Amino acid sequence: MKKIMLPFAALLCILFGCQSHDHEVDGAHAHDEHGNHITPAEPALEPLAYTLYTDKTELFVEFKPLVIGQESRFAAHFTALGDLFKAVEQGSVTLSLKNGDNTVQTITAGKPEVPGIFRLRMIPERAGVFNLVFDIKTPTYTDQITIEKVIVFPDDQTAIEKQEPAEESGSDISYLKEQAWKVEFANAPARVHAFSEIVRTSGQILAAPGDEAVLTAHISGIVSFSGNNMVAGTAVGAGARLFTIKSTEVVASSLGAAVQQAENDLSTAQKQYDRAAELVKDNIISEKEFLESKLRLQNAQAHLANVVVSQKFNQSKQSVTALFGGFLKNILVENGAFVQAGQPLATISKSKRLMLKADVSQRYFPQLASFTSANFRAADGQVFSTRNLNGRLVSIGKSADAGSPFLPIHFEIDNRGSFFPGSVVEVFLQSGSSPALVIPTSALIEEQGVFYAYVQTEGESFQKRELKIGASDGVNVRVLAGIAEGERVVTKGAYQIKLATASGAIPAHGHEH
């Protein structure tokens, strides 16, 4: 574990004002009236600082090197990790000095002195190399963090001789835990993992084929809405009656009379056929006359079938019902309007499956077959992946529309996000992957076309790093230079760190050791 000197600058916090950050750690540095370090005539023990992470907790702890018979005071800062990093406000911490599995000494802090900070004091009794084990218990979780190979020295002189030279970095920015806990703050490590080649483009969410149906009028007449909630977005059940079309109310329409006439013609043709069937048996009429009556009957049946276009038609009206459950995407007619047979009335959508259409520049045509998935950013800023939405590649365009320089590529996805048919999205097409160093896109800060990120060098120390970046998939961005694997970048709260250093003045020292 890297050992460092405590940062000797009290931050003039723009957001929160000046505050004292009392870590109560022995082995303080001396300073002149301007806050600069004064080198003592005799070497002294320098405090140690460690920053460690688990999946649940960040520990930033400062303490004096351990010497037999001398009290060391520990200022242990515990941060609960999650979408936001927050101070551990309740619980207890047990600090154990262990030699392998054997516990040599144990001390416990029953509660934090202030939110996030636990004070512990230990007087080592044996010299040697030990592990410092922190066991934390909170109302919501338990965790254990271990600092390995911590030396307990027999005396101060030995400790001074063994301590490493102090390292000072003028580029480090001091940002206290108490400040980070008061804002939306989080960080994440730079990691190497499979990263796909990205093509960034625009796209649109469309309804999936078979997921929508257009309701049409089968007869001409006056259309009436069946309810008061006939507006776009209204949920409808399968078989629900939505419209009624009445043809008898239309003077220009003779469909009702035509049906009546067709039924009369069919009745007459049926009687003539029945009579001919009896007469032909006794050879009273010829076979030709019988076949002619049979043909008239068939023609009458066909004519009636042509005018009776729906089983729900009863000579004067047609009921239009929903073919399946879903919602009304749009209403295409006005209540009380005259509609023609075949005219669209409304569109019903299930909205269970959607289509993501991406418009790809023609110069990527040789690569289209390699795009197997995509990320897309909706209007509210959320990023979704076709992989997480049960997505599949449906089609790849082989030709461009007239006047368009783009080729379409379609993915079918589940509708489980805050998007809807017709919405415009930003698409990140993904092809074959290879290992790459990436950080979250939320860590990037752009200044005049140059990208930066704040890197946490220790618990309360940060550096502003200029980055050389590559492609982005909307969630992560590839880093070509500026950050090493494992270094932690600020993903939330970077702007507050920037504001805290905007004055340009060197802050006075704020730790009271």
Side-chain angles (χ1 to χ4, degrees):
M1 175 63 63
K2 178 181 176 183
K3 301 176 182 177
I4 64 165
M5 292 179 58
L6 293 177
F8 285 96
L11 193 58
L12 297 177
C13 178
I14 293 177
L15 295 178
F16 311 110
C18 298
Q19 59 183 358
S20 175
H21 184 40
D22 181 9
H23 283 183
E24 200 181 50
V25 177
D26 294 330
H29 307 298
H31 301 82
D32 61 20
E33 60 182 352
H34 301 294
N36 299 317
H37 290 274
I38 300 175
T39 303
E42 297 294 333
L45 284 176
E46 296 290 347
L48 305 176
Y50 293 86
T51 305
L52 301 96
Y53 285 86
T54 68
D55 293 337
K56 303 176 183 177
T57 313
E58 177 203 60
L59 167 63
F60 169 58
V61 62
E62 302 168 301
F63 59 94
K64 173 185 174 182
L66 304 183
V67 178
I68 290 179
Q70 296 187 18
E71 182 181 77
S72 286
R73 302 174 183 177
F74 296 79
H77 303 64
F78 283 91
T79 303
L81 307 187
D83 290 338
L84 298 176
F85 288 17
K86 293 298 181 182
V88 174
E89 299 184 348
Q90 299 180 30
S92 64
V93 172
T94 298
L95 172 60
S96 303
L97 193 64
K98 291 191 174 185
N99 184 359
D101 295 332
N102 299 321
T103 301
V104 178
Q105 287 180 251
T106 297
I107 54 174
T108 298
K111 62 179 181 179
E113 184 174 280
V114 295
I117 301 179
F118 292 80
R119 305 287 188 182
L120 299 136
R121 301 187 181 193
M122 175 178 285
I123 302 176
E125 299 171 354
R126 292 169 51 184
V129 180
F130 302 91
N131 290 338
L132 279 177
V133 181
F134 293 83
D135 288 290
I136 180 170
K137 295 181 180 180
T138 75
T140 56
Y141 76 94
T142 61
D143 202 1
Q144 184 179 89
I145 303 176
T146 300
I147 304 176
E148 298 180 346
K149 298 180 180 179
V150 176
I151 301 175
V152 177
F153 298 98
D155 51 56
D156 283 352
Q157 186 61 36
T158 303
I160 292 173
E161 292 174 355
K162 296 292 185 180
Q163 73 181 359
E164 298 177 1
E167 297 179 3
E168 301 238 16
S169 176
S171 63
D172 277 5
I173 300 167
S174 179
Y175 192 70
L176 306 182
K177 288 297 179 189
E178 291 90 327
Q179 292 173 272
W181 290 332
K182 292 179 180 179
V183 300
E184 292 189 354
F185 182 88
N187 63 48
R191 298 188 184 277
V192 174
H193 61 71
F195 186 74
S196 301
E197 292 188 27
I198 301 300
V199 171
R200 184 175 177 179
T201 185
S202 61
Q204 191 175 19
I205 301 295
L206 306 172
D211 204 57
E212 286 188 354
V214 177
L215 303 180
T216 58
H218 289 171
I219 63 174
S220 299
I222 300 297
V223 63
S224 299
F225 291 177
S226 297
N228 297 325
N229 297 324
M230 294 290 290
V231 294
T234 301
V236 295
R241 189 175 66 178
L242 303 179
F243 304 95
T244 299
I245 301 173
K246 295 183 179 180
S247 65
T248 54
E249 296 179 5
V250 183
V251 176
S253 174
S254 60
L255 183 57
V259 172
Q260 184 66 51
Q261 182 62 47
E263 289 180 342
N264 292 337
D265 291 344
L266 177 61
S267 178
T268 300
Q270 183 69 51
K271 292 178 181 178
Q272 290 176 349
Y273 171 76
D274 293 340
R275 178 174 176 277
E278 293 296 330
L279 294 176
V280 75
K281 293 177 182 180
D282 298 330
N283 295 320
I284 298 175
I285 62 174
S286 65
E287 185 71 22
K288 179 182 177 181
E289 291 176 306
F290 169 73
L291 292 177
E292 287 176 350
S293 66
K294 182 178 181 180
L295 180 60
R296 285 194 294 272
L297 174 62
Q298 291 174 340
N299 288 338
Q301 291 173 335
H303 181 61
L304 180 60
N306 288 334
V307 294
V308 181
V309 293
S310 171
Q311 290 183 350
K312 294 184 174 64
F313 181 72
N314 63 358
Q315 298 183 357
S316 63
K317 68 179 181 179
Q318 176 204 356
S319 294
V320 182
T321 59
L323 302 179
F324 48 73
F327 70 93
L328 286 172
K329 180 180 178 181
N330 49 40
I331 307 294
L332 304 174
V333 294
E334 296 290 337
N335 191 25
F338 172 76
V339 296
Q340 296 283 357
Q343 180 176 337
L345 304 177
T347 304
I348 296 178
S349 177
K350 296 179 182 177
S351 195
K352 292 182 179 180
R353 295 284 284 177
L354 297 173
M355 193 74 71
L356 170 64
K357 176 189 176 186
D359 297 315
V360 188
S361 173
Q362 294 181 24
R363 66 190 179 97
Y364 294 111
F365 179 75
Q367 298 175 240
L368 286 183
S370 68
F371 296 130
T372 57
S373 62
N375 292 343
F376 60 96
R377 181 182 288 120
D380 60 0
Q382 293 189 71
V383 178
F384 301 89
S385 171
T386 57
R387 291 191 182 98
N388 298 331
L389 296 174
N390 193 26
R392 65 182 184 91
L393 178 64
V394 175
S395 66
I396 297 174
K398 298 299 189 295
S399 63
D401 295 335
S404 173
F406 300 107
L407 295 168
I409 181 170
H410 292 86
F411 297 89
E412 192 177 49
I413 57 175
D414 287 343
N415 186 7
R416 299 203 303 261
S418 56
F419 37 84
F420 51 89
S423 59
V424 177
V425 295
E426 185 178 12
V427 183
F428 304 87
L429 294 170
Q430 299 173 320
S431 59
S433 62
S434 60
L437 179 66
V438 299
I439 62 173
T441 56
S442 58
L444 294 180
I445 296 177
E446 183 180 4
E447 296 179 1
Q448 299 180 344
V450 180
F451 290 94
Y452 298 86
Y454 284 98
V455 178
Q456 183 175 356
T457 55
E458 284 294 343
E460 295 179 334
S461 298
F462 298 83
Q463 290 181 355
K464 183 180 179 181
R465 300 271 187 88
E466 181 178 341
L467 306 180
K468 182 179 180 181
I469 63 172
S472 169
D473 63 2
V475 178
N476 295 311
V477 61
R478 186 172 188 174
V479 179
L480 305 178
I483 291 177
E485 182 181 4
E487 289 189 299
R488 302 187 75 95
V489 295
V490 177
T491 57
K492 294 180 181 178
Y495 188 66
Q496 280 74 15
I497 298 178
K498 181 179 179 180
L499 287 179
T501 58
S503 65
I506 299 176
H509 193 279
H511 293 279
E512 297 177 4
H513 297 303

